Structures are given as C-alpha cells and as structure tokens.
Amino acid sequence: MSLAAIQSRLTAACAAHGRAPGSVQLIAVSKVQPLDRVVAVLDQGHRLFGENYVQESQAKWPDLRARFGPVQVHMIGPLQTNKAKVAVELFDAIHTVDRPSLAEKLAKLAQARGASPQLFIQVNTGAEPQKAGILPDDTDAFLTQCRAMDLPVQGLMCIPPEGADPAPHFAMLAQMAARNGLSGLSMGMSSDFEVAIAHGATHIRVGSAIFGARDYG
Ligand SMILES: *Cc1c(COP(=O)(O)O)cnc(C)c1O
C-alpha cells in the first residue's frame, strides 16, 4: 500500500456511503516508522500525522516542521498527566482524553495558555479491562464534566477490541457522539477504515497501510 492507494480507497468509500469528499481526514500514523518513510509521505504533500509517544514526537516534529512548514500532528496514544504540558505545545489534537485527572490538567493548561488542542474523548467501547478509555455508560457524564471545565471537546475516539467485528463499536460511538452534539468521530485504522467511514468517521488513523509494517525491534 501507499499514501495514494489509501487516498483513493478513502475517496471510493466516501462515494459508496454518500459522504462528502473531504469530510474524512486521513491521519497518517507515523509512530516508530523510519524517518525516510515519513519524509517520503511529507514529500508527497501530506500534512496530517498521528503519533503515540510524546518523546518520539518531540525528537521528530520540530525539525520536520522547520523543514516542511506547518504540519498537523495529532496525539493518538495514551497521555501521561506529567507529559500534558509538552503535549499541548506539540500537538494540534489529542485523541486520548480518557480520565478526569487528565481532563483537569488539560483544562488548567488551556486556561493558562488561552488555547487548547482539539480534544477527543477515548471511549472503551468494548469495556475491555486492560484498555484505556471511558466506559460507554460513563461517557455522557464525563463529557458534561469536560464541558463544565470549558474543554473544547470535538468528538469521540475508539479502538475496537482486537479480532472483533468493528462495525457495532463504530455504530455505538457514532450514536454517542450524535446524542451529545459532537461532530468528530476518530475511528478506523488500516484494517477497518472503510467500515469506519461507512459509520461516519471524520478522522481515520492509518499507519501500516501507508508506511508499511512497524518494526519495534
Ligand atoms: C498505531 C495506531 C493506529 C494505526 O494502526 P495501523 O493498524 O498501523 O493502521 C491507529 N490508532 C491508534 C490508536 C494506534 O495506536
């Protein structure tokens, strides 16, 4: 696969499901990828990336932004509260607001800076014990809490359980967003982004299908 191949699959999925072209943002997930692969995608004009680790992003994106100009980078990995300050300075969006203590920290930082990245609440749609995210039953209340802190919550994010049919999880997330008046839906990865588009995804997070397999060695 390649960036161009994924873009054309994205366009085809939008057409197939009556979605406006341009209503789905493609986040190229560059975590752990060799720099030359990231540069190749930047050279093709892509300007929206996703990262999972604050330190890796700090080492990479200030240089790449200096070289390529404005690039949007979204944090899609778990965020430790003690890295929140660096994160709000580095990222244009954080997709993993998953607990009250992090929301409180982000609210304090937003107040102090007079600005905040776009925020997505991560929902543990499969209620998996080992997975981060707000439980579905708690999400409406958590959102109310975030709004009371003036946090700019744009939408919801989920990672369906491994090996499960993702469709019911995407449908659940879309329903929760709709009933709460949220427009953003961060869902869909290399293996299931077309299903996510069918269910209303506004942000798909695609890594290996663009860059090739990740080598964690
Ligand atoms: C790594 C990662 C992705 C990209 O996964 P691929 O299967 O390589 O597309 C998407 N979302 C999250 C939260 C990730 O951690």
Side-chain angles (χ1 to χ4, degrees), residues 29 31 52 76 157 159 189-191 205-209 214:
V29 177
K31 61 164 178 250
N52 285 58
I76 64 167
M157 175 272 211
I159 309 169
M189 316 192 350
S190 290
S191 59
R205 311 178 307 266
V206 180
S208 44
R214 286 180 288 276

Side-chain angles (χ1 to χ4, degrees), residues 52-121:
N52 285 58
Y53 310 104
V54 171
Q55 256 181 318
E56 182 187 349
S57 305
Q58 266 182 308
K60 199 193 285 182
W61 286 105
D63 287 351
L64 289 172
R65 281 171 167 152
R67 194 166 147 198
F68 287 92
V71 178
Q72 274 205 53
V73 184
H74 288 199
M75 175 61 168
I76 64 167
L79 181 57
Q80 292 172 261
T81 307
N82 64 6
K83 301 229 170 101
K85 186 163 191 295
V86 177
V88 298
E89 283 158 10
L90 193 57
F91 298 114
D92 301 283
I94 295 170
H95 290 233
T96 47
V97 181
D98 63 357
R99 58 193 190 279
S101 60
L102 179 59
E104 280 158 24
K105 180 75 184 181
L106 292 170
K108 274 191 197 132
L109 290 165
Q111 282 238 313
R113 302 170 71 237
S116 172
Q118 293 181 351
L119 301 175
F120 291 76
I121 294 173

Side-chain angles (χ1 to χ4, degrees), residues 131-211:
K131 194 169 269 177
I134 304 289
L135 291 171
D137 284 347
D138 298 337
T139 301
D140 293 4
F142 182 65
L143 178 64
T144 302
Q145 237 183 315
C146 290
R147 284 176 166 159
M149 292 184 247
D150 271 339
L151 277 180
V153 177
Q154 191 195 341
L156 304 179
M157 175 272 211
C158 77
I159 309 169
E162 189 108 16
D165 176 4
H169 296 271
F170 295 156
M172 180 201 288
L173 200 72
Q175 233 174 37
M176 296 175 65
R179 75 168 178 248
N180 284 293
L182 292 171
S183 59
L185 279 172
S186 168
M187 57 190 198
M189 316 192 350
S190 290
S191 59
D192 56 16
F193 70 86
E194 282 135 326
V195 182
I197 289 171
H199 285 88
T202 59
H203 295 71
I204 57 173
R205 311 178 307 266
V206 180
S208 44
I210 293 174
F211 294 102

Side-chain angles (χ1 to χ4, degrees), residues 15-72:
H17 300 289
R19 303 282 311 274
S23 66
V24 182
Q25 297 196 46
L26 173 60
I27 301 172
V29 177
S30 45
K31 61 164 178 250
V32 200
Q33 295 287 353
L35 196 60
D36 59 327
R37 293 189 191 170
V38 181
V39 167
V41 169
L42 282 160
D43 275 335
Q44 292 167 67
H46 198 72
R47 291 294 181 269
L48 174 56
F49 291 79
E51 291 285 349
N52 285 58
Y53 310 104
V54 171
Q55 256 181 318
E56 182 187 349
S57 305
Q58 266 182 308
K60 199 193 285 182
W61 286 105
D63 287 351
L64 289 172
R65 281 171 167 152
R67 194 166 147 198
F68 287 92
V71 178
Q72 274 205 53

Side-chain angles (χ1 to χ4, degrees), residues 124 126-133 161-162:
N124 185 357
E128 295 172 275
Q130 83 290 1
K131 194 169 269 177
E162 189 108 16

